[in-house]
Amino acid sequence: QQQQQQLPVVSVLEVGMGTFPNAPYYVQAMKDSGMEELGRLDIISLDPNDSMFQYAKTNAETCGLLSSTTTTTTTSSSS
């Protein structure tokens, strides 16, 4: 039996993501490190302003970061 090679997974926590202006930098870093075709990048975002989600998602799509990913959003409000 042939063993499957494990692909690298990089997880990043973006605190205060806003409109996700860092998206192009992640794309470039993946290209520079060779992970573009060989690995996976998981970006977890945290932002107190729920209205930023759609802007951040659009920016990620524009940069090509959502081609094969599922995005979810969870909001909570304090009483």
Side-chain angles (χ1 to χ4, degrees):
Q1 286 183 348
Q2 193 176 21
Q3 286 186 339
Q4 264 190 331
Q5 182 182 2
Q6 292 254 216
L7 297 177
V9 177
V10 174
S11 297
V12 176
L13 173 62
E14 277 267 347
V15 178
M17 181 179 238
T19 60
F20 197 25
N22 292 329
Y25 300 106
Y26 287 112
V27 173
Q28 189 60 49
M30 288 180 69
K31 287 178 184 177
D32 292 347
S33 68
M35 276 190 63
E36 188 177 34
E37 298 295 326
L38 301 175
R40 188 177 88 205
L41 175 64
D42 292 340
I43 301 171
I44 302 159
S45 69
L46 177 66
D47 198 288
N49 186 346
D50 294 338
S51 65
M52 290 292 109
F53 176 75
Q54 193 57 47
Y55 295 108
K57 183 178 175 186
T58 299
N59 202 6
E61 288 171 342
T62 299
C63 291
L65 290 174
L66 291 181
S67 58
S68 62
T69 349
T70 302
T71 57
T72 57
T73 180
T74 304
T75 60
S76 63
S77 56
S78 42
S79 303

